[in-house]
């Protein structure tokens, strides 16, 4: 009993330290005004509005919270905003969720019969996986990150015959994002074929299909007033989910080439590199639950779906760690790779982290706001009411807790009319916009000449106008 408590204490330490690192990274990025409107300001606004009992309609997109990806989990998060509305809740929840994923990894390792030393090594391999660190801060916040531990727990519960835990885990996954219904279907196929949990497998397949048809085929398009989110990334395959699926089935030549593009092969390599020394090809079937998201990433016209930085690999990399678990067990049964000691797994994971984790972004990218950082914070503090704001992408996440907030774009200058602006505040960061050639200097002059707006604050190329 004492030995078991000692093991759990070590896992608790892993979770605590990892949570702290992940939360600090995302909070620091935000404090440096490097978080962005898409997606942080969008989710912060939705959750804030839901917490205040207001219609959770995004002023960025113009549709309901559920119209994004049927992320019902955001309603649960809104309860925390009732205590105190703060975007750091999102950072904390995501950091905790990703770090807690080590707990089902530990459980799966014990379930597979790995020794204490190998179990710890696998847990550290999960926490050191570069995508976990990168996605946590680079994409600010994504509801599907919360599903990571639930996906792993569903696999563990299904193997172990724990019915209610499997049901709860599957429900939790599905309310995080609509497209994860495909991951649940694939998990059901794996449960049906590999551990031979036939009824569990059929249950997951049925539930996933029903949820897919309910959300992606009906609920989300209805609330968006168009197609489900993400369809735009597959324009070369069709204009609707049905067209895309039909073209994949009836015209395989259209997609086969994409599997062997150099960038796709490099993506495969990136996914397995952090744990490649411990993988056994005979256990490749373990990643069946990851195949729907992997397939979507390969077929997408959007290059960002094939890296370890954006959130698109969130439902893939956890199953690669599970592949590692069963690979180690397979090598032990075959009495091969005696050299594959736990310390070597850890050393390799550390090398992969140092090579592929984007911690250097905090130096190479995120210090660009330092010249006017204090001015930015001061200007934001002068926005004292929850009335409408017109601002830029990197300021928006600091002011998104209101019903109306929009971004300045190239059409702002042409469409600028005092009578049509439903904004109390216009906040511009001219320095950072000039750096990217996105700003039209005449806009500042036009606002200054306006009878409706008064320049209230100006310092270090930061301008705050308040409507009179």
């Amino acid at each position: 009993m004492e030995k078991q408590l000692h093991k759990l204490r070590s896992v608790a330490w892993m979770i605590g330290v990892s949570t702290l690192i992940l939360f600090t990274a995302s909070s620091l990025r935000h404090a440096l005004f490097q978080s962005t409107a898409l997606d942080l300001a969008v989710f912060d606004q939705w959750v804030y509005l839901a917490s205040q009992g207001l219609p959770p309609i995004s002023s960025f997109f113009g549709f309901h919270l559920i119209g994004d990806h049927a992320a019902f989990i955001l309603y649960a998060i809104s309860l925390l905003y009732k205590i105190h509305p703060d975007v750091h809740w999102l950072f904390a929840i995501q950091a905790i969720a990703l770090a807690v994923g080590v707990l089902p990894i530990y459980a799966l390792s014990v379930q597979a019969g790995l020794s204490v030393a190998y179990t710890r090594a696998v847990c550290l391999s999960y926490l050191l996986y570069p995508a976990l660190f990168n996605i946590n801060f680079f994409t600010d916040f994504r509801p599907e990150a919360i599903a990571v531990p639930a996906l792993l727990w569903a696999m563990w519960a299904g193997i172990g015959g724990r019915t209610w835990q499997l049901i709860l885990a599957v429900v939790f996954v599905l309310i995080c994002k609509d497209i994860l219904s495909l991951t649940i279907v694939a998990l059901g196929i794996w449960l049906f074929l590999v551990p031979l949990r036939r009824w569990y497998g059929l249950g997951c397949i049925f539930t996933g299909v029903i949820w897919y048809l309910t959300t992606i085929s009906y609920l989300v398009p209805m609330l968006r007033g168009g197609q489900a989110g993400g369809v735009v990334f597959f324009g070369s395959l069709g204009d609707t989910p049905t067209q895309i699926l039909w073209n994949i089935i009836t015209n395989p030549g259209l997609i086969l080439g994409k599997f062997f593009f150099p960038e796709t092969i490099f993506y495969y390599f990136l996914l397995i590199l952090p744990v490649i020394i411990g993988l056994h090809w005979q256990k490749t079937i373990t990643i069946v639950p990851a195949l729907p998201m992997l397939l979507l990433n390969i077929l997408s016209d959007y290059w960002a779906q094939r890296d370890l930085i954006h959130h698109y690999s969130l439902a893939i990399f956890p199953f690669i760690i599970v592949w590692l678990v069963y690979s180690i067990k397979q090598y032990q049964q075959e009495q091969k790779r005696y050299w594959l000691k736990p310390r070597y797994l850890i050393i390799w994971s550390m090398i992969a982290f140092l090579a592929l984790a984007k911690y250097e972004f905090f130096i190479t990218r995120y210090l660009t706001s330092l010249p006017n950082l204090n001015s930015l914070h001061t200007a934001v503090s002068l926005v004292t009411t929850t009335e409408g704001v017109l601002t830029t992408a990197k300021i928006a996440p600091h002011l998104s807790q209101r019903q109306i907030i929009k971004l300045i774009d190239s059409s702002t200058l042409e469409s600028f009319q005092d009578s049509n602006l439903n904004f109390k505040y216009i906040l511009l960061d001219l320095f950072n916009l000039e750096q990217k050639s996105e700003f039209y200097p005449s806009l500042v002059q036009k606002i200054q000449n306006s009878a409706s707006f008064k320049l209230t604050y100006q310092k270090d190329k930061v301008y705050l106008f308040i409507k009179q």
Side-chain angles (χ1 to χ4, degrees), residues 108 181 208 283 288 344 347 376 386 442:
L108 283 161
S181 56
K283 293 300 177 180
V288 164
Y344 295 140
I347 291 171
L376 285 168
T386 58
S442 55

Side-chain angles (χ1 to χ4, degrees), residues 405-420:
I405 178 169
K406 288 186 177 292
L407 301 180
I408 292 173
D409 56 29
S410 58
S411 65
T412 303
L413 181 61
E414 290 76 11
S415 63
F416 185 84
Q417 296 291 335
D418 295 346
S419 59
N420 295 331

Side-chain angles (χ1 to χ4, degrees), residues 191-253:
L191 287 171
F192 188 91
L193 295 176
V194 181
L196 300 179
R197 293 288 184 178
R198 300 291 171 78
W199 286 109
Y200 288 167
L202 291 173
C204 286
I205 294 170
F206 177 79
T207 303
V209 170
I210 293 299
W211 192 253
Y212 178 91
L213 294 175
T214 302
T215 56
I216 293 179
S217 297
Y218 173 70
L219 183 61
V220 170
M222 179 186 70
L223 292 174
R224 290 175 72 101
Q227 292 297 331
V231 174
V232 66
F233 297 148
F234 301 89
S236 62
L237 298 176
D239 298 324
T240 68
T242 303
Q243 280 184 10
I244 293 169
L245 183 60
W246 180 251
N247 283 330
I248 290 173
I249 295 172
T250 61
N251 191 5

Side-chain angles (χ1 to χ4, degrees), residues 72-349:
F72 289 91
I73 191 69
L74 296 177
Y75 279 110
I77 297 174
S78 72
L79 298 177
L80 296 173
Y81 272 54
K82 285 182 177 293
I83 300 172
H84 177 65
D86 193 314
V87 72
H88 289 85
W89 281 119
L90 302 183
F91 299 149
I93 290 167
Q94 180 164 272
I96 292 170
L98 291 174
V100 165
V102 80
L103 189 58
I105 289 293
Y106 171 85
L108 283 161
S109 300
V110 171
Q111 189 182 61
L114 297 189
S115 66
V116 173
Y118 277 107
T119 295
R120 287 176 179 168
V122 171
C123 288
L124 287 171
S125 295
Y126 168 82
L127 293 173
L128 289 169
Y129 194 90
L132 185 147
F133 178 79
N134 295 343
I135 294 169
N136 171 72
F137 75 86
F138 189 77
T139 54
D140 295 317
F141 172 78
R142 298 296 305 187
E144 57 265 42
I146 307 171
V148 168
L151 282 169
L152 293 167
W153 205 261
M155 177 175 267
W156 174 81
I159 297 169
R162 296 168 175 84
T163 306
W164 284 108
Q165 292 192 50
L166 174 61
I167 292 173
L168 289 174
V170 167
V171 170
F172 197 85
V173 170
L174 293 176
I175 64 173
C176 288
K177 191 173 184 179
D178 51 9
I179 199 65
L180 291 179
S181 56
L182 297 180
T183 303
I184 294 300
V185 170
L187 175 62
I189 293 171
W190 184 83
L191 287 171
F192 188 91
L193 295 176
V194 181
L196 300 179
R197 293 288 184 178
R198 300 291 171 78
W199 286 109
Y200 288 167
L202 291 173
C204 286
I205 294 170
F206 177 79
T207 303
V209 170
I210 293 299
W211 192 253
Y212 178 91
L213 294 175
T214 302
T215 56
I216 293 179
S217 297
Y218 173 70
L219 183 61
V220 170
M222 179 186 70
L223 292 174
R224 290 175 72 101
Q227 292 297 331
V231 174
V232 66
F233 297 148
F234 301 89
S236 62
L237 298 176
D239 298 324
T240 68
T242 303
Q243 280 184 10
I244 293 169
L245 183 60
W246 180 251
N247 283 330
I248 290 173
I249 295 172
T250 61
N251 191 5
L254 191 65
I255 67 169
L256 285 178
K258 294 192 175 188
F259 287 89
F260 303 103
F261 282 168
E263 67 166 316
T264 305
I265 294 173
F266 186 63
Y267 178 49
Y268 302 149
F269 178 69
L270 285 178
L271 286 172
I272 64 173
L273 181 62
V275 292
I276 195 170
I277 66 169
L279 297 180
H280 195 301
W281 67 270
Q282 289 184 359
K283 293 300 177 180
T284 309
I285 195 171
T286 310
I287 64 169
V288 164
L291 292 183
M293 295 304 104
L294 180 61
L295 180 63
L296 288 175
N297 290 350
I298 292 169
L299 297 181
S300 174
D301 302 330
Y302 184 37
W303 62 269
Q305 290 192 224
R306 293 177 290 277
D307 61 30
L308 298 187
I309 303 175
H310 295 82
H311 61 277
Y312 301 101
S313 297
L314 273 170
I316 298 174
F317 83 83
F319 297 106
I320 293 177
I321 303 299
V322 178
W323 182 10
L324 176 64
V325 170
Y326 286 98
S327 294
I328 294 171
K329 185 63 178 178
Q330 182 69 21
Y331 282 125
Q332 291 177 344
Q333 291 174 346
E334 295 175 348
Q335 297 184 349
K336 294 180 178 179
R337 290 204 185 183
Y338 290 109
W339 56 268
L340 190 61
K341 304 298 182 183
R343 64 177 178 273
Y344 295 140
L345 286 171
I346 295 171
I347 291 171
W348 182 260
S349 295

